[in-house]
Amino acid sequence: MDENKERIILGIDPGTAVMGYGLVLEKGPKIELISMGVVKMEKIDDHMLKLQRIFEKTVALIDNYNPDCLAIEAPFYGKNIQVMLKLGRAQGMAIAAALSRNVVITEYAPRKIKQSITGNGNATKEQVAAMLQTLLKFKETPDFLDATDGLAVAVCHSFQRVPVSSGGKAKKSYSGWETFAKDNASRVKGTTK
């Protein structure tokens, strides 16, 4: 990737009660936090209105920040098919919003995101949030766990170093934080092993 190239990555953790999002600016080998937050929908009773809100908020984020790409978390496989269906619809609305603005989309499995951020595919939300606080130097507390989940998707995408022009194919993938840190020592500050 070009050292001087900049791109903005929007990460979304879709949900029908809370949608988390995070935006990072990638400047060559460095990443900086732009924004993170949540879209709350607990008070909306109608599922279709929740989907409309997801679509509208995603379009608003895209129009406001002009990201080069969207990284989105794939719905996880659970025993409750109704929950999976609702999550799939929520993800579909965010994807449709990005498609309506011609934004390139990449999907990541929850395990891949956790592995990419912490080196552990079974990491807790708190562990992911703590690692992101260290990487991006922000102080928000873990009350923001849905926001840090969205941010984790964006950072995961950045770690893959997938150029916008490559059609979504990564140059190199890493099996975890340790291998990434070893290969990218100049980009990682404050780590010693």
Short mmCIF file of all heavy atoms in Angstrom, two decimals, residues 120-145:
data_model
loop_
_atom_site.label_atom_id
_atom_site.label_comp_id
_atom_site.label_asym_id
_atom_site.label_seq_id
_atom_site.Cartn_x
_atom_site.Cartn_y
_atom_site.Cartn_z
N ASN A 120 -6.89 -13.39 19.83
CA ASN A 120 -7.71 -14.46 20.39
C ASN A 120 -9.10 -14.38 19.78
O ASN A 120 -9.83 -13.42 20.02
CB ASN A 120 -7.77 -14.31 21.92
CG ASN A 120 -8.70 -15.29 22.58
OD1 ASN A 120 -9.28 -16.18 21.94
ND2 ASN A 120 -8.87 -15.15 23.88
N GLY A 121 -9.49 -15.40 19.02
CA GLY A 121 -10.80 -15.43 18.38
C GLY A 121 -11.96 -15.55 19.34
O GLY A 121 -13.11 -15.37 18.96
N ASN A 122 -11.67 -15.88 20.59
CA ASN A 122 -12.71 -16.00 21.62
C ASN A 122 -12.67 -14.85 22.62
O ASN A 122 -13.22 -14.95 23.71
CB ASN A 122 -12.57 -17.33 22.37
CG ASN A 122 -12.82 -18.51 21.45
OD1 ASN A 122 -13.76 -18.51 20.67
ND2 ASN A 122 -11.95 -19.51 21.52
N ALA A 123 -12.00 -13.76 22.28
CA ALA A 123 -11.86 -12.61 23.19
C ALA A 123 -13.23 -12.05 23.56
O ALA A 123 -14.19 -12.12 22.78
CB ALA A 123 -11.01 -11.53 22.55
N THR A 124 -13.30 -11.46 24.75
CA THR A 124 -14.54 -10.81 25.19
C THR A 124 -14.62 -9.41 24.57
O THR A 124 -13.62 -8.86 24.10
CB THR A 124 -14.57 -10.66 26.72
OG1 THR A 124 -13.51 -9.79 27.11
CG2 THR A 124 -14.43 -12.01 27.42
N LYS A 125 -15.82 -8.83 24.62
CA LYS A 125 -16.00 -7.46 24.14
C LYS A 125 -15.09 -6.51 24.92
O LYS A 125 -14.54 -5.56 24.35
CB LYS A 125 -17.47 -7.01 24.33
CG LYS A 125 -18.44 -7.64 23.36
CD LYS A 125 -19.86 -7.21 23.71
CE LYS A 125 -20.87 -7.75 22.74
NZ LYS A 125 -21.13 -6.84 21.63
N GLU A 126 -14.92 -6.76 26.21
CA GLU A 126 -14.08 -5.91 27.05
C GLU A 126 -12.61 -5.99 26.62
O GLU A 126 -11.90 -4.98 26.60
CB GLU A 126 -14.21 -6.31 28.53
CG GLU A 126 -15.56 -5.99 29.13
CD GLU A 126 -16.68 -7.00 28.82
OE1 GLU A 126 -16.40 -8.05 28.20
OE2 GLU A 126 -17.83 -6.73 29.18
N GLN A 127 -12.15 -7.20 26.27
CA GLN A 127 -10.77 -7.36 25.82
C GLN A 127 -10.54 -6.65 24.49
O GLN A 127 -9.51 -6.00 24.30
CB GLN A 127 -10.42 -8.85 25.68
CG GLN A 127 -10.30 -9.56 27.01
CD GLN A 127 -10.21 -11.07 26.86
OE1 GLN A 127 -10.86 -11.67 26.00
NE2 GLN A 127 -9.41 -11.69 27.71
N VAL A 128 -11.51 -6.75 23.59
CA VAL A 128 -11.42 -6.06 22.30
C VAL A 128 -11.37 -4.55 22.53
O VAL A 128 -10.53 -3.84 21.97
CB VAL A 128 -12.60 -6.44 21.37
CG1 VAL A 128 -12.65 -5.56 20.13
CG2 VAL A 128 -12.51 -7.91 20.97
N ALA A 129 -12.26 -4.04 23.40
CA ALA A 129 -12.31 -2.61 23.69
C ALA A 129 -10.99 -2.13 24.29
O ALA A 129 -10.47 -1.08 23.91
CB ALA A 129 -13.48 -2.29 24.64
N ALA A 130 -10.43 -2.91 25.22
CA ALA A 130 -9.17 -2.52 25.87
C ALA A 130 -8.03 -2.45 24.85
O ALA A 130 -7.22 -1.52 24.88
CB ALA A 130 -8.83 -3.50 26.99
N MET A 131 -7.97 -3.40 23.93
CA MET A 131 -6.91 -3.38 22.92
C MET A 131 -7.09 -2.18 21.99
O MET A 131 -6.10 -1.52 21.63
CB MET A 131 -6.91 -4.69 22.12
CG MET A 131 -5.80 -4.76 21.10
SD MET A 131 -4.13 -4.59 21.79
CE MET A 131 -3.86 -6.27 22.33
N LEU A 132 -8.33 -1.88 21.62
CA LEU A 132 -8.58 -0.72 20.76
C LEU A 132 -8.20 0.58 21.47
O LEU A 132 -7.66 1.49 20.84
CB LEU A 132 -10.05 -0.68 20.33
CG LEU A 132 -10.47 -1.75 19.33
CD1 LEU A 132 -11.99 -1.76 19.18
CD2 LEU A 132 -9.79 -1.56 17.99
N GLN A 133 -8.46 0.67 22.78
CA GLN A 133 -8.07 1.86 23.54
C GLN A 133 -6.55 2.05 23.49
O GLN A 133 -6.07 3.17 23.35
CB GLN A 133 -8.53 1.74 25.00
CG GLN A 133 -10.01 1.96 25.17
CD GLN A 133 -10.46 1.74 26.61
OE1 GLN A 133 -10.12 0.74 27.24
NE2 GLN A 133 -11.23 2.68 27.13
N THR A 134 -5.83 0.95 23.57
CA THR A 134 -4.37 1.01 23.51
C THR A 134 -3.90 1.39 22.11
O THR A 134 -3.05 2.27 21.95
CB THR A 134 -3.77 -0.36 23.90
OG1 THR A 134 -4.20 -0.68 25.22
CG2 THR A 134 -2.25 -0.33 23.86
N LEU A 135 -4.46 0.75 21.10
CA LEU A 135 -4.04 0.99 19.71
C LEU A 135 -4.34 2.41 19.25
O LEU A 135 -3.52 3.04 18.59
CB LEU A 135 -4.76 0.03 18.77
CG LEU A 135 -4.31 -1.42 18.75
CD1 LEU A 135 -5.29 -2.26 17.94
CD2 LEU A 135 -2.91 -1.53 18.15
N LEU A 136 -5.54 2.90 19.57
CA LEU A 136 -6.00 4.17 19.03
C LEU A 136 -5.98 5.31 20.05
O LEU A 136 -6.39 6.42 19.75
CB LEU A 136 -7.41 4.01 18.44
CG LEU A 136 -7.47 3.03 17.26
CD1 LEU A 136 -8.92 2.79 16.85
CD2 LEU A 136 -6.66 3.54 16.08
N LYS A 137 -5.53 5.00 21.27
CA LYS A 137 -5.32 6.02 22.31
C LYS A 137 -6.56 6.85 22.59
O LYS A 137 -6.56 8.07 22.46
CB LYS A 137 -4.14 6.92 21.93
CG LYS A 137 -2.84 6.16 21.79
CD LYS A 137 -1.76 7.03 21.19
CE LYS A 137 -0.49 6.29 20.90
NZ LYS A 137 -0.58 5.11 20.06
N PHE A 138 -7.65 6.18 22.95
CA PHE A 138 -8.84 6.91 23.40
C PHE A 138 -9.22 6.44 24.79
O PHE A 138 -8.81 5.37 25.22
CB PHE A 138 -10.01 6.77 22.41
CG PHE A 138 -10.53 5.37 22.26
CD1 PHE A 138 -11.55 4.89 23.07
CD2 PHE A 138 -10.03 4.53 21.27
CE1 PHE A 138 -12.04 3.61 22.93
CE2 PHE A 138 -10.51 3.24 21.12
CZ PHE A 138 -11.52 2.78 21.95
N LYS A 139 -10.00 7.25 25.50
CA LYS A 139 -10.29 6.99 26.91
C LYS A 139 -11.72 6.54 27.20
O LYS A 139 -12.04 6.25 28.33
CB LYS A 139 -10.00 8.24 27.74
CG LYS A 139 -8.57 8.73 27.62
CD LYS A 139 -7.66 7.89 28.48
CE LYS A 139 -6.25 8.43 28.50
NZ LYS A 139 -5.25 7.49 28.03
N GLU A 140 -12.58 6.52 26.18
CA GLU A 140 -13.98 6.15 26.44
C GLU A 140 -14.04 4.83 27.20
O GLU A 140 -13.24 3.94 26.98
CB GLU A 140 -14.78 6.03 25.14
CG GLU A 140 -15.22 7.35 24.56
CD GLU A 140 -14.13 8.03 23.75
OE1 GLU A 140 -13.00 7.53 23.72
OE2 GLU A 140 -14.42 9.07 23.15
N THR A 141 -15.01 4.72 28.06
CA THR A 141 -15.12 3.53 28.91
C THR A 141 -15.86 2.41 28.17
O THR A 141 -16.52 2.64 27.16
CB THR A 141 -15.91 3.87 30.19
OG1 THR A 141 -17.23 4.25 29.80
CG2 THR A 141 -15.27 4.99 30.97
N PRO A 142 -15.77 1.19 28.70
CA PRO A 142 -16.47 0.08 28.07
C PRO A 142 -17.99 0.16 28.04
O PRO A 142 -18.64 -0.78 27.64
CB PRO A 142 -16.00 -1.14 28.87
CG PRO A 142 -14.68 -0.75 29.40
CD PRO A 142 -14.81 0.73 29.68
N ASP A 143 -18.58 1.28 28.50
CA ASP A 143 -20.02 1.48 28.28
C ASP A 143 -20.26 1.55 26.77
O ASP A 143 -21.37 1.36 26.30
CB ASP A 143 -20.51 2.80 28.90
CG ASP A 143 -20.38 2.78 30.41
OD1 ASP A 143 -20.24 1.68 30.97
OD2 ASP A 143 -20.40 3.86 31.01
N PHE A 144 -19.19 1.83 26.05
CA PHE A 144 -19.25 2.00 24.60
C PHE A 144 -19.04 0.68 23.86
O PHE A 144 -18.57 0.70 22.74
CB PHE A 144 -18.14 2.97 24.16
CG PHE A 144 -18.61 4.37 23.99
CD1 PHE A 144 -19.02 5.11 25.07
CD2 PHE A 144 -18.64 4.95 22.74
CE1 PHE A 144 -19.44 6.42 24.92
CE2 PHE A 144 -19.07 6.25 22.57
CZ PHE A 144 -19.47 6.99 23.66
N LEU A 145 -19.34 -0.46 24.48
CA LEU A 145 -18.96 -1.74 23.88
C LEU A 145 -19.56 -1.97 22.50
O LEU A 145 -18.90 -2.57 21.65
CB LEU A 145 -19.31 -2.91 24.81
CG LEU A 145 -18.40 -3.02 26.03
CD1 LEU A 145 -18.85 -4.14 26.95
CD2 LEU A 145 -16.95 -3.22 25.63
#
